[in-house]
Amino acid sequence: MTDQQTIGSFDGGKATVARIYDYLLGGHQNFEADRTAAEQILRAVPESANMARSNRLFMRRAVRAVTEFGIRQFLDLGSGIPTQGNVHEVAQAIDPAIRVLYVDIDPVAVVASNQILAGNPACRAIEADFTRPELILDALADGDLATVIDLTLPTALLYCSVLQTVPQDRIDAVVAPIRDRLVAGSALVISHVSAALTERYNASTVSAGKDVFRRQADTEVTLRTDAELAALFGDFTMIEPGLVPLDQWRPAPSDPDPYADKAIPSPMRGAVAIRY
Protein backbone atom coordinates (compact mmCIF):
# COMPACT_ATOMS: atom_id res chain seq x y z
CA MET A 1 0.00 0.00 0.00
CA THR A 2 1.23 3.47 -0.81
CA ASP A 3 0.14 6.90 0.35
CA GLN A 4 -1.06 7.55 -3.21
CA GLN A 5 -3.72 4.84 -3.09
CA THR A 6 -7.33 5.94 -3.14
CA ILE A 7 -10.44 4.35 -1.65
CA GLY A 8 -11.60 3.39 -5.13
CA SER A 9 -8.54 1.18 -5.64
CA PHE A 10 -9.93 -1.39 -3.18
CA ASP A 11 -12.48 -3.97 -4.27
CA GLY A 12 -14.08 -4.29 -0.85
CA GLY A 13 -13.93 -8.07 -0.46
CA LYS A 14 -15.33 -9.15 2.89
CA ALA A 15 -16.97 -6.71 5.24
CA THR A 16 -14.86 -5.11 7.97
CA VAL A 17 -15.84 -3.77 11.37
CA ALA A 18 -14.51 -0.31 10.48
CA ARG A 19 -16.59 -0.04 7.31
CA ILE A 20 -19.73 -1.48 8.93
CA TYR A 21 -19.38 1.17 11.61
CA ASP A 22 -18.90 3.83 8.92
CA TYR A 23 -22.17 2.77 7.28
CA LEU A 24 -24.03 2.82 10.60
CA LEU A 25 -22.80 6.40 11.10
CA GLY A 26 -24.10 7.39 7.67
CA GLY A 27 -20.67 7.47 6.06
CA HIS A 28 -19.73 6.64 2.48
CA GLN A 29 -16.36 4.87 2.84
CA ASN A 30 -17.87 1.40 2.61
CA PHE A 31 -18.61 -1.34 0.09
CA GLU A 32 -21.56 -3.57 -0.74
CA ALA A 33 -20.40 -6.30 1.65
CA ASP A 34 -20.28 -3.78 4.49
CA ARG A 35 -23.72 -2.37 3.70
CA THR A 36 -25.22 -5.85 3.51
CA ALA A 37 -23.71 -6.82 6.86
CA ALA A 38 -24.81 -3.55 8.48
CA GLU A 39 -28.40 -3.99 7.30
CA GLN A 40 -28.44 -7.51 8.71
CA ILE A 41 -27.14 -6.19 12.03
CA LEU A 42 -29.84 -3.50 12.05
CA ARG A 43 -32.51 -6.13 11.50
CA ALA A 44 -31.20 -8.09 14.48
CA VAL A 45 -30.48 -5.09 16.73
CA PRO A 46 -32.39 -2.06 15.38
CA GLU A 47 -30.65 0.40 17.71
CA SER A 48 -27.19 -0.38 16.28
CA ALA A 49 -27.03 2.94 14.43
CA ASN A 50 -27.94 4.80 17.64
CA MET A 51 -25.23 2.85 19.47
CA ALA A 52 -22.66 3.89 16.86
CA ARG A 53 -23.72 7.54 17.03
CA SER A 54 -23.72 7.49 20.83
CA ASN A 55 -20.21 6.04 20.82
CA ARG A 56 -18.97 8.75 18.47
CA LEU A 57 -20.38 11.49 20.67
CA PHE A 58 -18.85 9.94 23.79
CA MET A 59 -15.47 9.84 22.07
CA ARG A 60 -15.67 13.56 21.29
CA ARG A 61 -16.59 14.48 24.86
CA ALA A 62 -13.85 12.22 26.23
CA VAL A 63 -11.25 13.81 23.93
CA ARG A 64 -12.26 17.29 25.10
CA ALA A 65 -12.01 16.21 28.73
CA VAL A 66 -8.58 14.64 28.25
CA THR A 67 -7.30 17.64 26.31
CA GLU A 68 -8.50 20.00 29.01
CA PHE A 69 -6.63 17.79 31.48
CA GLY A 70 -3.44 18.83 29.68
CA ILE A 71 -2.58 15.79 27.55
CA ARG A 72 -1.15 16.73 24.17
CA GLN A 73 -0.83 13.42 22.30
CA PHE A 74 -3.38 10.75 21.44
CA LEU A 75 -3.00 7.13 20.35
CA ASP A 76 -6.30 5.97 18.82
CA LEU A 77 -6.26 2.18 18.39
CA GLY A 78 -8.82 0.63 16.05
CA SER A 79 -9.61 4.16 14.89
CA GLY A 80 -11.77 3.13 11.93
CA ILE A 81 -12.96 5.23 8.99
CA PRO A 82 -12.60 8.98 9.59
CA THR A 83 -15.85 10.90 9.99
CA GLN A 84 -16.63 14.45 11.01
CA GLY A 85 -15.44 15.20 14.52
CA ASN A 86 -12.36 12.97 14.52
CA VAL A 87 -10.00 12.91 17.49
CA HIS A 88 -7.59 15.39 15.89
CA GLU A 89 -10.38 17.79 14.89
CA VAL A 90 -11.79 17.88 18.43
CA ALA A 91 -8.40 18.08 20.14
CA GLN A 92 -6.73 20.53 17.76
CA ALA A 93 -9.69 22.88 18.08
CA ILE A 94 -8.41 23.33 21.65
CA ASP A 95 -4.68 23.22 20.84
CA PRO A 96 -3.49 23.03 17.20
CA ALA A 97 -0.17 21.51 18.34
CA ILE A 98 -1.78 18.32 19.66
CA ARG A 99 -0.46 15.15 18.01
CA VAL A 100 -2.58 12.14 17.03
CA LEU A 101 -1.66 8.70 15.72
CA TYR A 102 -4.51 6.66 14.29
CA VAL A 103 -4.03 2.88 14.04
CA ASP A 104 -6.33 0.52 12.16
CA ILE A 105 -6.02 -2.84 10.43
CA ASP A 106 -8.34 -1.80 7.60
CA PRO A 107 -6.31 -0.31 4.72
CA VAL A 108 -9.34 1.68 3.55
CA ALA A 109 -9.52 3.37 6.96
CA VAL A 110 -5.81 4.19 6.83
CA VAL A 111 -5.90 5.60 3.30
CA ALA A 112 -9.01 7.68 4.04
CA SER A 113 -7.45 8.98 7.26
CA ASN A 114 -4.18 10.00 5.62
CA GLN A 115 -6.06 11.79 2.85
CA ILE A 116 -7.83 13.85 5.51
CA LEU A 117 -4.57 14.38 7.41
CA ALA A 118 -2.62 15.64 4.40
CA GLY A 119 -0.94 18.88 5.40
CA ASN A 120 -1.32 18.13 9.12
CA PRO A 121 2.22 17.14 10.21
CA ALA A 122 1.15 16.52 13.81
CA CYS A 123 -1.09 13.61 12.83
CA ARG A 124 -0.67 10.29 11.04
CA ALA A 125 -2.53 7.04 10.37
CA ILE A 126 -0.80 3.67 10.11
CA GLU A 127 -2.00 0.20 9.20
CA ALA A 128 -1.54 -2.18 12.13
CA ASP A 129 -3.48 -4.69 14.22
CA PHE A 130 -4.31 -3.24 17.65
CA THR A 131 -4.52 -6.79 19.00
CA ARG A 132 -0.74 -7.06 18.42
CA PRO A 133 0.45 -4.41 20.88
CA GLU A 134 4.06 -5.55 20.71
CA LEU A 135 4.18 -4.62 17.03
CA ILE A 136 2.64 -1.22 17.74
CA LEU A 137 5.22 -0.59 20.45
CA ASP A 138 7.96 -1.54 17.98
CA ALA A 139 6.51 0.90 15.46
CA LEU A 140 6.41 3.67 18.06
CA ALA A 141 10.09 3.13 18.73
CA ASP A 142 10.83 4.06 15.12
CA GLY A 143 12.36 7.51 14.79
CA ASP A 144 9.73 8.67 12.31
CA LEU A 145 6.65 7.80 14.37
CA ALA A 146 8.33 8.99 17.55
CA THR A 147 7.78 12.52 16.26
CA VAL A 148 4.03 11.89 16.58
CA ILE A 149 3.83 9.78 19.75
CA ASP A 150 6.46 9.83 22.49
CA LEU A 151 5.48 7.37 25.23
CA THR A 152 7.83 9.06 27.70
CA LEU A 153 5.25 11.89 27.76
CA PRO A 154 1.63 11.77 28.99
CA THR A 155 -0.47 10.07 26.34
CA ALA A 156 -4.19 9.44 25.85
CA LEU A 157 -4.82 5.83 24.78
CA LEU A 158 -8.20 5.32 23.12
CA TYR A 159 -10.12 2.07 22.62
CA CYS A 160 -13.49 3.30 21.38
CA SER A 161 -15.92 0.47 20.63
CA VAL A 162 -13.21 -1.95 19.52
CA LEU A 163 -12.36 -4.16 22.50
CA GLN A 164 -15.55 -6.19 22.08
CA THR A 165 -13.80 -7.78 19.09
CA VAL A 166 -11.20 -9.29 21.43
CA PRO A 167 -12.03 -12.63 23.14
CA GLN A 168 -11.89 -12.79 26.91
CA ASP A 169 -8.87 -15.08 26.98
CA ARG A 170 -6.81 -12.47 25.09
CA ILE A 171 -8.10 -9.17 26.43
CA ASP A 172 -5.39 -8.61 29.05
CA ALA A 173 -2.63 -9.45 26.57
CA VAL A 174 -4.08 -6.89 24.15
CA VAL A 175 -4.64 -4.00 26.56
CA ALA A 176 -1.95 -4.32 29.24
CA PRO A 177 1.30 -3.95 27.22
CA ILE A 178 0.59 -0.39 26.01
CA ARG A 179 -1.57 0.65 28.98
CA ASP A 180 1.16 -0.30 31.41
CA ARG A 181 3.80 1.64 29.45
CA LEU A 182 1.95 4.92 29.86
CA VAL A 183 3.56 7.41 32.22
CA ALA A 184 1.93 9.36 35.04
CA GLY A 185 -0.47 11.97 33.71
CA SER A 186 -1.65 9.69 30.89
CA ALA A 187 -5.29 8.79 30.18
CA LEU A 188 -7.16 5.67 29.10
CA VAL A 189 -10.48 5.99 27.26
CA ILE A 190 -12.63 2.89 26.73
CA SER A 191 -16.13 2.45 25.30
CA HIS A 192 -17.57 -1.03 24.90
CA VAL A 193 -20.80 -2.87 24.16
CA SER A 194 -22.07 -4.04 27.53
CA ALA A 195 -23.51 -7.36 28.60
CA ALA A 196 -26.56 -5.20 29.38
CA LEU A 197 -27.49 -5.63 25.71
CA THR A 198 -28.76 -9.09 26.62
CA GLU A 199 -31.22 -7.53 29.05
CA ARG A 200 -33.24 -5.88 26.27
CA TYR A 201 -32.92 -8.50 23.53
CA ASN A 202 -33.42 -12.22 23.80
CA ALA A 203 -30.46 -14.56 23.46
CA SER A 204 -31.29 -15.58 19.90
CA THR A 205 -31.46 -11.94 18.75
CA VAL A 206 -28.09 -11.08 20.28
CA SER A 207 -26.66 -14.28 18.82
CA ALA A 208 -27.96 -13.30 15.37
CA GLY A 209 -26.19 -9.94 15.59
CA LYS A 210 -22.95 -11.58 16.67
CA ASP A 211 -23.29 -14.12 13.87
CA VAL A 212 -23.30 -11.37 11.24
CA PHE A 213 -19.91 -10.15 12.46
CA ARG A 214 -18.65 -13.73 12.60
CA ARG A 215 -19.76 -14.69 9.08
CA GLN A 216 -19.43 -11.41 7.23
CA ALA A 217 -16.38 -9.85 8.89
CA ASP A 218 -14.55 -12.82 10.47
CA THR A 219 -14.97 -11.12 13.85
CA GLU A 220 -16.16 -12.56 17.14
CA VAL A 221 -17.99 -10.15 19.44
CA THR A 222 -17.64 -10.46 23.22
CA LEU A 223 -19.98 -8.57 25.53
CA ARG A 224 -18.54 -7.68 28.95
CA THR A 225 -19.95 -6.89 32.36
CA ASP A 226 -19.19 -3.66 34.19
CA ALA A 227 -16.78 -5.55 36.47
CA GLU A 228 -14.90 -6.97 33.47
CA LEU A 229 -14.71 -3.54 31.87
CA ALA A 230 -13.53 -1.84 35.06
CA ALA A 231 -10.68 -4.36 35.29
CA LEU A 232 -9.32 -3.17 31.92
CA PHE A 233 -8.33 0.17 33.46
CA GLY A 234 -5.70 -1.45 35.69
CA ASP A 235 -4.27 1.06 38.17
CA PHE A 236 -5.76 4.08 36.37
CA THR A 237 -8.29 6.14 38.33
CA MET A 238 -11.61 6.86 36.64
CA ILE A 239 -12.71 10.47 36.56
CA GLU A 240 -16.34 11.43 37.21
CA PRO A 241 -18.85 10.02 36.46
CA GLY A 242 -16.96 6.72 36.26
CA LEU A 243 -18.07 3.76 34.13
CA VAL A 244 -21.60 4.55 32.94
CA PRO A 245 -23.90 4.24 29.91
CA LEU A 246 -22.40 6.42 27.20
CA ASP A 247 -25.28 8.90 27.18
CA GLN A 248 -24.68 9.54 30.90
CA TRP A 249 -20.96 10.37 30.55
CA ARG A 250 -20.85 14.17 30.81
CA PRO A 251 -23.75 14.78 28.40
CA ALA A 252 -23.56 17.85 26.19
CA PRO A 253 -26.98 19.48 25.60
CA SER A 254 -25.59 21.21 22.50
CA ASP A 255 -24.87 17.82 20.88
CA PRO A 256 -27.49 15.48 22.35
CA ASP A 257 -26.94 11.75 22.48
CA PRO A 258 -29.55 9.66 20.60
CA TYR A 259 -30.41 8.04 23.93
CA ALA A 260 -30.93 11.37 25.70
CA ASP A 261 -34.70 11.25 25.31
CA LYS A 262 -35.04 7.48 25.65
CA ALA A 263 -36.40 5.74 28.76
CA ILE A 264 -33.66 3.11 28.48
CA PRO A 265 -29.98 4.21 28.43
CA SER A 266 -27.34 3.19 25.92
CA PRO A 267 -26.33 -0.48 26.13
CA MET A 268 -22.73 0.67 25.78
CA ARG A 269 -20.50 1.64 28.67
CA GLY A 270 -17.66 4.12 28.74
CA ALA A 271 -15.15 5.71 31.07
CA VAL A 272 -12.07 7.93 31.12
CA ALA A 273 -9.30 7.24 33.60
CA ILE A 274 -6.04 8.95 34.55
CA ARG A 275 -2.77 7.46 35.78
CA TYR A 276 -1.72 9.57 38.79
Side-chain angles (χ1 to χ4, degrees):
M1 187 181 71
T2 67
D3 291 341
Q4 286 71 45
Q5 277 186 283
T6 63
I7 303 303
S9 66
F10 296 93
D11 62 10
K14 291 185 71 70
T16 70
V17 174
R19 298 197 301 266
I20 291 171
Y21 182 61
D22 176 68
Y23 179 83
L24 292 174
L25 285 172
H28 304 287
Q29 309 287 7
N30 49 70
F31 300 106
E32 185 60 34
D34 310 300
R35 295 187 283 273
T36 297
E39 289 297 334
Q40 292 174 358
I41 291 166
L42 286 167
R43 284 195 290 272
V45 182
E47 64 185 289
S48 294
N50 277 346
M51 290 166 62
R53 173 68 175 163
S54 180
N55 177 70
R56 196 72 184 177
L57 293 172
F58 162 78
M59 181 274 289
R60 295 177 193 173
R61 298 194 303 274
V63 167
R64 290 189 194 101
V66 169
T67 301
E68 290 165 359
F69 191 81
I71 294 173
R72 290 298 178 262
Q73 55 180 10
F74 289 75
L75 178 57
D76 187 358
L77 299 186
S79 52
I81 303 286
T83 60
Q84 187 176 10
N86 279 329
V87 172
H88 73 279
E89 292 173 329
V90 174
Q92 289 184 336
I94 297 171
D95 182 350
I98 283 176
R99 303 185 304 279
V100 180
L101 181 64
Y102 294 106
V103 179
D104 203 277
I105 197 171
D106 186 340
V108 172
V110 175
V111 168
S113 296
N114 280 320
Q115 289 173 348
I116 287 175
L117 296 170
N120 190 336
C123 302
R124 185 92 57 85
I126 63 169
E127 184 179 341
D129 183 351
F130 81 87
T131 70
R132 300 288 305 278
E134 70 283 359
L135 298 183
I136 294 173
L137 287 169
D138 287 345
L140 292 177
D142 179 84
D144 184 35
L145 282 184
T147 63
V148 182
I149 298 293
D150 179 355
L151 291 182
T152 67
L153 300 174
T155 303
L157 175 61
L158 278 62
Y159 292 106
C160 289
S161 194
V162 295
L163 291 178
Q164 60 259 19
T165 65
V166 181
Q168 189 62 21
D169 63 355
R170 291 201 60 222
I171 191 67
D172 288 337
V174 168
V175 175
I178 299 179
R179 179 197 67 198
D180 294 349
R181 282 280 300 275
L182 300 183
V183 301
S186 294
L188 178 58
V189 178
I190 295 176
S191 62
H192 196 292
V193 182
S194 167
L197 187 68
T198 60
E199 297 172 6
R200 64 181 75 180
Y201 294 97
N202 61 44
S204 61
T205 296
V206 174
S207 178
K210 288 182 176 182
D211 190 55
V212 176
F213 282 102
R214 182 183 305 113
R215 290 184 294 102
Q216 307 278 32
D218 292 331
T219 299
E220 294 287 340
V221 172
T222 298
L223 307 183
R224 292 187 169 89
T225 65
D226 286 1
E228 289 169 333
L229 293 175
L232 299 179
F233 288 89
D235 64 354
F236 282 61
T237 301
M238 292 184 196
I239 64 175
E240 291 295 329
L243 181 67
V244 295
L246 296 189
D247 56 299
Q248 297 176 15
W249 200 92
R250 302 190 180 188
S254 60
D255 200 1
D257 187 282
Y259 287 92
D261 60 353
K262 301 287 193 299
I264 301 175
S266 169
M268 294 187 68
R269 299 289 187 265
V272 176
I274 304 294
R275 168 165 278 158
Y276 291 103

